[in-house]
Amino acid sequence: MILSDLETGEKAVVERVHGHGSFRKRLIEMGFIQGKEVRVILNAPLKDPIEYEILGYKISLRREEARQIEVVTEAEAREALVSDEHLQALPGDLEEKERLDKALAHVAEERHRNIRVALVGNPNCGKTSLFNLASGSHEHVGNYSGVTVDAKEGHFKYKDYDITLVDLPGTYSLSAYSPEELYVRKNLLDSVPDVVINVVDASNLERNLYLTTQLIDMNLRVVMALNMYDELQHKGDKLDTHQLGWLLGMPVCPTVCRDGQGIPELLDTVIRIYEQSDPKLSRHIHINHGAEIEKSIRRVQPFIAHNEDLKARYSTRYLTIKYLEADKDVEALLAGMPNIQDISNARADEIQRIQSLLGTPPESAIVDAKYAFIQGALAETYEKYIEEHPRRTITDKLDAIVTNQWMAFPIFVLLLWFVFWATFTVGQYPMDWIEAGVAWLGDKLGGLMPDGWVRDLVVDGVIAGVGSVLVFLPNILILYFFISFMEDSGYMARAAFIVDKLMHKIGLHGKSFIPMVMGFGCNVPAIMATRSIESRKSRLITIAIIPFMSCAGRLPIFVLFAGAFFPAHPATALLGIYLLGIVMAILSALVIGRFVKDDDLPFVMELPPYRIPTGKAIWRHTWEKGRQYLEKMATTILIFSVAIWALGYFPRHPEQSKAYQQEHSYIGMVGKAIEPMNEPLGFNWKMDVGLLAGVGAKELVISTMGVTYAQEGTEYEEGDDTALQAALKATVPTAAALAFMVFVLLYFPCIATFVAIKNETGKWRWAILLCLYTILVAWLGAFAAYRLGLLIWP
């Protein structure tokens, strides 16, 4: 509860004090510190200000100021007396008042030990690795910008403290240019964390420290995690971390997130900052922006500080700096202030004065001043090792090959082919084992259970449906293993670099390639990752073409059909279908780009150094995707498999054959109804039903066909194929199988993707039009594939 909500006469105990800088410091100096009792004496006639009693004396606070103080009320303490085991153990002879006082103090202490920590840093600084290491969470770590597209929370205990760690998106600054920058800034200003960990790449200090200077302006409690410190030492560079911390006004903790070095020391420092147990750590500085800019700040700041509600919630110096920079969000915030005309006039005068004196707008002058401050701090603390004969780094040598004008694209295609070859070849052995296990389980349970609908449900519905999808788990794990390795090593950033020119020609940004690659895993997070693209046109077009990227849900379908119908070259078939998706995405981008307003922006993207991913990180990412796949099987796929079985099982025709039963069941009726539409594609009604089920999730295509073919009881000879592959080969022409693969590749991914498109574009119209567009493209593409296939396999 917050202090301003207490009624006259009510008593509470202070839990924590929010707010910024001098405002927060003033409240604490007035006695509002954790564990102290405060009582409401009276409210002013207009309910503002409010008089309180604390530490034996009376003090008045404005209601806006009182909102920055969290308290524990007597009502909350009484609830704790009933529910808290620690308080239930209090001696029974204590008086009611003493029990209540102890409960107030205990609850305030317990809540005070909940610390909210925000992780802020540039892309590729190791922020998400730190998050995973400290919290034990399993967020994906990628060696390129835009991996963290939303705030992720991890909860863990450390030395009797409950720490909530919030991993914010990687950003180079806190300006108002990109969605990521706005998102991070909003979290820091509106949901002020108790402590901020500024993760800085020790191998690239000057660029990383620009974000640090903006955090200093915001007057937050900051601890710097100087990550990848081993790389700095390996190069022979020297850094005085103690002096750098003194110059920046924050403690600096060297860390190596790859092996956990420095993490305990970092968390200890976070606690000391939070508890203010070491005054030396609480030193706050102001970045000196030069005499003229500082003069402008002193002129405008008092007008902004005149508004008490702003003063309580924000650093007025920070608001002044951003207002001088013509920040749109800050302008909107100040627009509703009573004295906005005075603020605006003061800024206009100062902008004109700075322009005439410095020959540059305040925004440029402020940026230059920040970099000058950084250079000065590093000149005093950082010593770079200079080699007499500079050697080319491993990154330089590798880039000379993988970004070479003639070799870049062949290497990329060859890597993809190798990934698919390994997916088939290595995955075939565990596939066979799982297939044999599923068949054994079905036979075993079928032999133990009496004939009837329950037996059919278990064997043909659950085991056949879920088992047909489970078989492809090894392929999913292998694919994600390789994708994770390429992402974490830094190769994916190079892939975006080499395709930028091509992307630009089709109206896209180089950054669009990263969400497109993520689409090979799952289209939903890939669409969310488009937030890192500043250009509205590129963002909308990228969202529109991501559904053509073959997600992991489609992979089992392609593995099933490629292994059954193209057994001599399954990896080449799989590569071909993936490349077809990319080609269709490019063609669609050219078409859709004609209908989206152009707002082209320059390509700015970091190429991080190559790093060898740790086995732990790759395994964690791979297993996380495998776990999600298993969870989907235990929920969505299981439910749909049972539903599909029921639709194929009823109404019953026990006197007829299984084939007759299938065709005259509810699912047969649905399949027969839509069969004419897809007849030109060579599909039978079972394939049509599978496509229809795939709207829910692509894995359901396999599950549905597994159920329908299991109920049909198709006979086949034992061999290297799975049961479903053999059943398909017996009933589906090769040309129709090719068309089916093309249709699955191109038609709308799933309901979750549909919702994601609506959420990211803000319009149902975009989602509906893209749904219709992909279905049309899929039908035309499948028709062309079928006709071409008939020429090859008549």
Side-chain angles (χ1 to χ4, degrees), residues 143 231 258 394 485 488-490 609-615 617-618:
N143 196 7
E231 293 186 14
R258 188 165 53 249
I394 293 177
F485 186 89
D488 294 358
S489 66
Y610 288 100
R611 296 187 174 97
I612 299 176
T614 63
I618 293 180

Side-chain angles (χ1 to χ4, degrees), residues 435-620:
E435 169 72 9
V438 170
W440 175 85
L441 181 62
D443 292 341
K444 201 72 174 176
L445 289 179
L448 295 175
M449 300 176 69
D451 289 341
W453 70 269
V454 175
R455 176 189 178 279
D456 293 340
L457 168 63
V458 173
V459 176
D460 296 334
V462 176
I463 296 178
V466 176
S468 60
V469 180
L470 180 63
V471 165
F472 299 99
L473 176 62
N475 305 97
I476 296 289
L477 295 177
I478 293 170
L479 178 67
Y480 270 112
F481 171 84
F482 284 107
I483 290 179
S484 176
F485 186 89
M486 288 191 290
E487 288 174 347
D488 294 358
S489 66
Y491 177 74
M492 282 304 185
R494 271 72 186 177
F497 173 76
I498 64 178
V499 302
D500 176 61
K501 187 173 183 179
L502 173 62
M503 304 294 274
H504 190 74
K505 286 183 179 295
I506 62 174
L508 291 176
H509 193 282
K511 282 187 177 180
S512 299
F513 187 71
I514 297 301
M516 289 172 66
V517 172
M518 292 178 70
F520 288 137
C522 179
N523 288 171
V524 174
I527 288 170
M528 294 173 65
T530 59
R531 297 175 190 174
S532 64
I533 303 172
E534 294 88 351
S535 165
R536 175 182 173 273
K537 176 183 178 181
S538 290
R539 188 163 62 251
L540 290 176
I541 296 176
T542 306
I543 289 172
I545 66 176
I546 280 175
F548 293 117
M549 300 297 104
S550 182
C551 64
R554 295 176 172 120
L555 179 62
I557 306 171
F558 298 147
V559 171
L560 175 79
F561 277 80
F565 293 93
F566 310 102
H569 305 286
T572 304
L574 192 56
L575 176 61
I577 204 76
Y578 272 68
L579 291 179
L580 175 63
I582 295 173
V583 170
M584 294 306 301
I586 292 172
L587 295 177
S588 296
L590 291 172
V591 173
I592 297 171
R594 297 179 178 272
F595 302 96
V596 183
K597 184 180 177 182
D598 193 359
D599 61 341
D600 194 27
L601 292 176
F603 175 71
V604 179
M605 186 173 180
E606 178 188 5
L607 292 181
Y610 288 100
R611 296 187 174 97
I612 299 176
T614 63
K616 182 178 180 181
I618 293 180
W619 164 248
R620 175 183 285 172

